Amino acid sequence: MAKILKIGIVGCGTIGPILAKAVEKKFSSKAKVVAVCDIEKAKARQLAKKLKSSPSVTPLKKLIGKSDLVIEAASAAISFDVVKKSIQAGKDVMIMSVGGLLGRPALNSMASKKNCRLYIPSGAICGLDGLKGASPAGIKQVTLTTRKPPMALDGAPYILKKRINLKSIKKETVVFSGSAKEATKAFPKNINVAAILSLAGIGAAKTRVRIIADPRMKRNVHQVDVEGGFGRLSTRTENVPSPGNPKTSYLAALSAIATLEGIVGSVKIGT
Ligand SMILES: NC(=O)c1ccc[n+]([C@@H]2O[C@H](COP(=O)([O-])OP(=O)(O)OC[C@H]3O[C@@H](n4cnc5c(N)ncnc54)[C@H](O)[C@@H]3O)[C@@H](O)[C@H]2O)c1
């Protein structure tokens, strides 16, 4: 019988529990959640209680020790630390808070030295398959245009610094235009997709990002435009929010489930 993949989940807010439940529902013959942790311990306990696998509620270090695969769904403030500690312990790791990995050199060599894998799901955008496939022929330009209802940007450092009054925005307004590197600092909670796109393509300094506040929007919409030796591609993704967290697109959690399916499954479809 194939070995059961032991999973530890860091962060038991929205994505963590969706993933944990998917493990029980879809992959129970191949994987199980053995440990969970959260800075708010009550959330970890609550999730543990709901799971048939009765995972331990442990601090990060113990969680890593118990797991074959560590899944981070907590915060960009800790995602690099989770990668580093997991890989040092010889464990594979999946990261959702991708913004925290930008500007961190040597992720690839860290993982390959220890023969570990770092998984980064596509999150709330489409088009990474084409971008990755097109890369060998050279990529000239990658642009992410994100449209959100104005209040979805509330509290972002850039909005506060520029004193932008989101409530006064009555029509489509470009509130930010710059590199993905700048965008991840300006909108750290909103812009994991820019980080994912950067890592898959031409890097955070060259990837362009535009953020548009649009009061007509009910959903977060991400448009990806890529140009290079292969030709051009454009994708548009209209996201519905996750049950439980309006700031997290449901597709982000679903894409992590698909990544997990790729890990435990035998057939890999797509780039
Ligand atoms: N890759 C993507 O496309 C994408 C999309 C949406 C969200 N995200 C990111 O994924 C992460 C999880 O998203 P979510 O919607 O589940 O968020 P959430 O706020 O619903 O849950 C996060 C949980 O992590 C916990 N947490 C925070 N800091 C922690 C720490 N230092 N140690 C342990 N636990 C900690 C919180 O208490 C909370 O329970 C966030 O960082 C979010 O920005 C990524």
Side-chain angles (χ1 to χ4, degrees):
M1 211 172 91
K3 196 180 148 217
I4 297 272
L5 182 78
K6 290 182 270 175
I7 295 175
I9 294 181
V10 185
C12 305
T14 307
I15 295 177
I18 292 176
L19 270 174
K21 282 170 206 156
V23 170
E24 296 217 322
K25 228 175 155 182
K26 282 174 72 94
F27 314 123
S28 61
S29 62
K30 294 180 171 169
K32 71 172 181 173
V33 180
V34 294
V36 291
C37 81
D38 197 291
I39 202 164
E40 291 181 39
K41 219 172 166 184
K43 286 189 183 176
R45 278 200 217 104
Q46 202 182 4
L47 175 59
K49 247 198 247 166
K50 287 185 186 154
L51 297 176
K52 288 188 204 115
S53 59
S54 306
S56 339
V57 175
T58 60
L60 179 62
K61 196 172 168 200
K62 273 201 179 157
L63 178 142
I64 292 172
K66 284 173 179 282
S67 311
D68 302 317
L69 171 69
V70 177
I71 300 181
E72 178 279 329
S75 150
I78 61 152
S79 56
F80 182 66
D81 201 40
V82 173
V83 171
K84 220 170 51 182
K85 289 183 173 148
S86 301
I87 288 176
Q88 273 164 2
K91 306 300 174 82
D92 293 342
V93 56
M94 185 195 296
I95 293 296
M96 296 308 298
S97 309
V98 189
L101 303 188
L102 281 190
R104 306 292 193 167
L107 284 174
N108 211 343
S109 66
M110 258 167 63
S112 70
K113 251 188 224 157
K114 285 284 196 171
N115 206 14
C116 295
R117 285 178 185 267
L118 164 59
Y119 299 99
I120 299 177
S122 312
I125 46 168
C126 300
L128 293 188
D129 52 350
L131 174 59
K132 281 161 57 186
S135 289
I139 302 291
K140 255 204 288 199
Q141 203 169 300
V142 180
T143 308
L144 170 72
T145 305
T146 293
R147 284 186 170 73
K148 295 194 171 206
M151 292 318 288
L153 301 169
D154 195 24
Y158 186 85
I159 299 293
L160 298 173
K161 191 174 159 204
K162 297 279 176 187
R163 298 189 178 181
I164 297 170
N165 181 356
L166 295 167
K167 287 191 180 134
S168 73
I169 295 179
K170 301 289 180 235
K171 61 177 178 36
E172 186 182 271
T173 305
V174 178
V175 292
F176 174 87
S177 178
S179 70
K181 193 172 171 185
E182 292 158 348
T184 48
K185 291 205 178 100
F187 297 90
K189 292 206 170 145
N190 286 278
I191 208 79
N192 280 298
V193 286
I196 298 167
L197 198 58
S198 302
L199 290 170
I202 55 177
K206 289 189 190 148
T207 302
R208 308 303 303 162
V209 173
R210 289 193 324 144
I211 297 179
I212 296 175
D214 187 343
R216 292 168 313 173
M217 287 286 148
K218 296 273 179 287
R219 298 174 171 176
N220 295 338
V221 176
H222 298 299
Q223 181 167 334
V224 173
D225 295 289
V226 181
E227 214 182 309
F230 73 102
R232 281 189 191 153
L233 73 80
S234 295
T235 69
R236 179 184 156 96
T237 314
E238 278 188 32
N239 288 290
V240 297
S242 289
N245 185 352
K247 288 198 168 167
T248 288
S249 298
Y250 194 24
L251 184 60
L254 298 175
S255 85
I257 296 173
T259 301
L260 206 47
E261 193 156 19
I263 296 169
V264 296
S266 312
V267 178
K268 184 157 168 38
I269 301 170
T271 317

